[in-house]
């Protein structure tokens, strides 16, 4: 479009030959975005800075002293949050753009230093005693506040991870980690509750249109945590009739998430719900063969044939679903 205008101006003698050629050369250059490259460099810078500080402190711990290290971390953290509060945009329930390029990374650095401060002071001075719940709860609350106040998806992910740590600590104390009993029903029910909380948060976020763009983060974590916990329960009760109940819950959740994903044209969540449902059906097939005591070589070949044929059918189903989503997008 611009080249046609230049041509018309040149034909009308409003542009000389030299200017016309220069503009044509400039127009022929293909511009490209370096947005993601700059983001990668900035994130790498934050990681290198925190890693460098950690290495410096570790190598000079005897000469620096714990109090000096804690004071340095606290000052840097306060400085980062002071800058962010000073340059913050007005709060909104919708998506808010960052005031400048470096704002998100300074906020990320401050949040990382805050977690480091609480972890350090608990490890070195045992400030919270054996109350690990409180040691994990305080940073979690701060991270959720920061994520919503400054509209930061990265810090929201950190907050969700902190929520998982807090719930794991509160229900499965230090002895569970020492014993390594990860087949515990307590652990399964805990992370099943966590998954449902995250899925409920995703639904409420969209329902009330409050930070609606946070839905993906909540649903992404919630989907995987819930399905993994349900599958753990399914295989835990694999030899009992309760396995059918767990199977029904998995398939019902998969169906619900599939419908929601199709409505929102999200192939990623369609894929995850279908795959988890397929794994459950394969497990149910194995359970049926075991239930009817089909344990000979014929039963093995039958199971193998069913898995191969169903896998092929699943691939075609996903391909057709993807095409249908694309065709709906163009309507």
């Amino acid at each position: 479009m611009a080249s046609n205008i230049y041509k018309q101006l040149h034909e009308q003698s409003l542009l000389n030959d030299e200017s016309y050629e220069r503009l044509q050369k400039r127009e022929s250059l293909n511009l490209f975005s370096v947005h993601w490259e700059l983001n990668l460099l900035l994130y790498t810078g934050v990681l290198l800075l925190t890693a460098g500080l950690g290495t410096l402190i570790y190598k000079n711990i005897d000469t620096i002293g714990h109090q000096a290290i804690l004071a340095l971390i606290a000052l840097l953290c306060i400085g980062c949050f002071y800058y962010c509060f000073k340059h913050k945009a007005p709060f909104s329930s919708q998506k808010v753009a960052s005031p400048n390029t470096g704002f998100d990374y300074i906020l990320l650095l401050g949040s990382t230093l805050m977690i480091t401060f609480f972890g350090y002071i608990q490890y070195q001075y045992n400030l919270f005693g054996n109350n690990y719940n409180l040691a994990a709860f305080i940073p979690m609350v701060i991270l959720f506040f920061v994520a919503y106040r400054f509209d930061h998806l990265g810090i929201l992910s950190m907050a969700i991870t902190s929520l998982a740590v807090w719930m794991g600590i509160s229900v499965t104390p230090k002895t569970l980690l020492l014993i390594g009993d990860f087949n515990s029903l307590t652990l399964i029910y805990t992370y099943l509750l966590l998954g449902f909380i995250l899925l409920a948060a995703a639904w409420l976020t969209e329902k009330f249109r409050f930070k609606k763009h946070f839905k993906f983060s909540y649903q992404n974590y919630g989907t995987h945590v819930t399905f993994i916990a349900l599958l753990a329960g399914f295989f835990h009760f694999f030899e009992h009739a309760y396995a059918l109940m767990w199977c029904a819950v998995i398939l019902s959740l998969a169906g619900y998430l599939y419908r929601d994903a199709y409505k929102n044209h999200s192939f990623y969540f369609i894929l995850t719900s279908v795959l988890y449902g397929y794994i459950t059906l394969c497990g149910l097939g194995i359970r049926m063969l075991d239930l009817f005591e089909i344990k000979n070589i014929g039963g093995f070949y039958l199971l193998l044939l069913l898995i191969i044929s169903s896998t092929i059918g699943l691939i075609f189903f996903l391909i057709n679903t993807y095409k249908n989503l694309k065709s709906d997008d163009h309507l």
Side-chain angles (χ1 to χ4, degrees):
M1 186 67 178
S3 60
N4 291 334
I5 296 175
Y6 299 150
K7 186 178 180 180
Q8 292 176 7
L9 293 174
H10 181 254
E11 291 174 349
Q12 296 172 9
S13 300
L14 297 176
L15 275 178
N16 57 37
D17 295 338
E18 182 182 354
S19 299
Y20 177 67
E21 289 178 4
R22 187 166 60 249
L23 288 171
Q24 286 290 93
K25 287 181 180 179
R26 181 180 177 182
E27 188 68 22
S28 64
L29 295 175
N30 293 322
L31 300 178
F32 62 93
S33 174
V34 293
H35 172 76
W36 295 111
E37 288 82 356
L38 290 175
N39 275 343
L40 178 61
L41 287 174
L42 288 170
Y43 273 117
T44 304
V46 171
L47 290 174
L48 289 175
L49 177 60
T50 52
L53 287 173
T55 304
L56 178 65
I57 291 169
Y58 176 76
K59 290 185 175 182
N60 299 277
I61 186 68
D62 295 331
T63 56
I64 297 176
H66 297 293
Q67 293 85 356
I69 293 170
L70 283 170
L72 175 63
I73 295 173
L75 286 173
L76 289 173
C77 179
I78 292 170
C80 290
F81 282 123
Y82 174 78
Y83 173 87
C84 292
F85 275 100
K86 185 177 180 181
H87 295 86
K88 67 182 183 298
F91 178 79
S92 173
S93 60
Q94 306 303 315
K95 189 173 183 179
V96 178
S98 299
N100 54 63
T101 305
F103 183 88
D104 285 342
Y105 304 96
I106 295 173
L107 185 62
L108 181 63
L109 177 61
S111 300
T112 305
L113 290 171
M114 182 269 297
I115 296 174
T116 304
F117 178 82
F118 278 100
Y120 195 149
I121 201 171
Q122 173 62 17
Y123 176 79
Q124 184 62 37
Y125 296 104
N126 201 22
L127 179 65
F128 301 101
N130 293 324
N131 191 356
Y132 298 102
N133 299 339
L134 188 61
F137 181 77
I138 295 175
M140 178 195 72
V141 172
I142 295 174
L143 286 173
F144 271 113
F145 170 77
V146 171
Y148 275 89
R149 180 60 190 86
F150 297 103
D151 203 333
H152 200 292
L153 287 171
I155 296 176
L156 178 65
S157 297
M158 294 169 62
I160 293 172
T161 305
S162 297
L163 174 61
V165 171
W166 174 70
M167 291 186 68
I169 290 173
S170 62
V171 179
T172 56
K174 187 177 179 181
T175 52
L176 177 61
L177 298 177
L178 293 175
I179 297 171
D181 182 18
F182 294 103
N183 196 32
S184 168
L185 277 178
T186 304
L187 187 63
I188 292 172
Y189 290 139
T190 299
Y191 284 97
L192 185 59
L193 175 62
L194 171 64
F196 282 130
I197 289 173
L198 295 176
L199 289 176
W203 181 80
L204 291 171
T205 296
E206 184 178 39
K207 175 73 174 178
F208 294 102
R209 298 182 178 276
F210 188 83
K211 299 295 182 184
K212 189 177 177 181
H213 54 291
F214 280 6
K215 178 187 176 183
F216 177 84
S217 295
Y218 282 122
Q219 189 165 330
N220 186 37
Y221 284 97
T223 297
H224 292 293
V225 170
T226 305
F227 275 123
I228 290 172
L230 286 171
L231 284 172
F234 173 63
F235 288 111
H236 181 85
F237 292 103
F238 196 68
E239 300 294 332
H240 302 82
Y242 290 122
L244 296 177
M245 181 186 69
W246 287 84
C247 179
V249 174
I250 295 172
L251 295 178
S252 299
L253 179 63
Y256 168 77
L257 291 175
Y258 176 85
R259 290 193 298 272
D260 179 73
Y262 198 94
K263 181 181 71 174
N264 292 290
H265 290 198
S266 175
F267 184 73
Y268 170 73
F269 286 116
I270 288 176
L271 181 63
T272 53
S273 60
V274 169
L275 288 180
Y276 281 117
Y278 177 72
I279 292 171
T280 306
L281 289 175
C282 289
L284 182 62
I286 296 172
R287 181 71 180 92
M288 290 297 102
L289 290 177
D290 182 65
L291 185 64
F292 291 106
E293 298 183 353
I294 305 176
K295 299 179 180 179
N296 53 22
I297 191 66
F300 173 76
Y301 284 133
L302 175 62
L303 177 63
L304 190 61
L305 179 63
L306 288 174
I307 291 176
I308 293 173
S309 59
S310 60
T311 302
I312 295 172
L314 178 67
I315 292 171
F316 279 106
F317 172 77
L318 291 173
I319 291 173
N320 288 330
T321 303
Y322 181 77
K323 289 180 179 178
N324 290 335
L325 286 178
K326 286 297 182 181
S327 62
D328 290 343
D329 289 338
H330 289 94
L331 291 179

